[in-house]
Amino acid sequence: MEAPHIIVGTPGHVFDMLNWRYLSPEYIKMFVLDEADEMLSHGFKDQIYDIFEKLNSSTQVVLPSATMSSDVLEVTKKFMRDPIRNLVKKGLTLEGICPFYINME
């Protein structure tokens, strides 16, 4: 089994790679927009929308962020497909939180 290719880039660079056809949407299985609230609130909204328009409907979208304002959650409704939200209450501390991962194929 071939290992998956991982590409990391800014929204502008990823968008350019899609436009120049250096990156094909058909091979993108998961799109992770780290610190989504920061990206969406700091002028990258249009580029991110353009990227999402190019992605296949089967592409999984992940938006991890330590903070997520209600405005950003509202914006994500425009491009998320059947989202599952894992939100924690404000003021939650790291006490009692144990990080883990689940290996999935």
Side-chain angles (χ1 to χ4, degrees):
M1 182 173 164
E2 185 178 324
H5 299 289
I6 299 172
I7 296 175
V8 178
T10 63
H13 192 69
V14 171
F15 179 70
D16 287 343
M17 289 178 69
L18 287 166
N19 274 341
W20 296 332
R21 299 181 192 218
Y22 290 120
L23 183 59
S24 174
E26 73 180 278
Y27 297 110
I28 300 174
K29 303 300 179 206
M30 179 185 293
F31 182 77
V32 180
L33 184 61
D34 193 23
E35 296 299 334
D37 62 326
E38 292 295 320
M39 292 288 181
L40 289 168
S41 66
H42 285 97
F44 293 103
K45 189 184 321 184
D46 291 337
Q47 288 176 334
I48 292 167
Y49 280 172
D50 292 339
I51 290 169
F52 281 110
E53 286 179 359
K54 292 182 176 296
L55 296 178
N56 291 332
S57 61
S58 61
T59 302
Q60 182 180 7
V61 176
V62 181
L63 303 174
S65 182
T67 58
M68 191 70 76
S69 71
S70 57
D71 292 339
V72 173
L73 286 173
E74 198 61 36
V75 167
T76 61
K77 289 180 182 178
K78 293 181 180 179
F79 54 79
M80 295 293 287
R81 302 170 189 102
D82 299 321
I84 297 172
R85 293 190 175 127
N86 291 322
L87 304 174
V88 295
K89 295 178 183 178
K90 289 181 180 180
L92 187 66
T93 65
L94 296 179
E95 183 180 322
I97 295 177
C98 181
F100 69 95
Y101 76 96
I102 299 172
N103 190 17
M104 301 178 71
E105 292 186 28

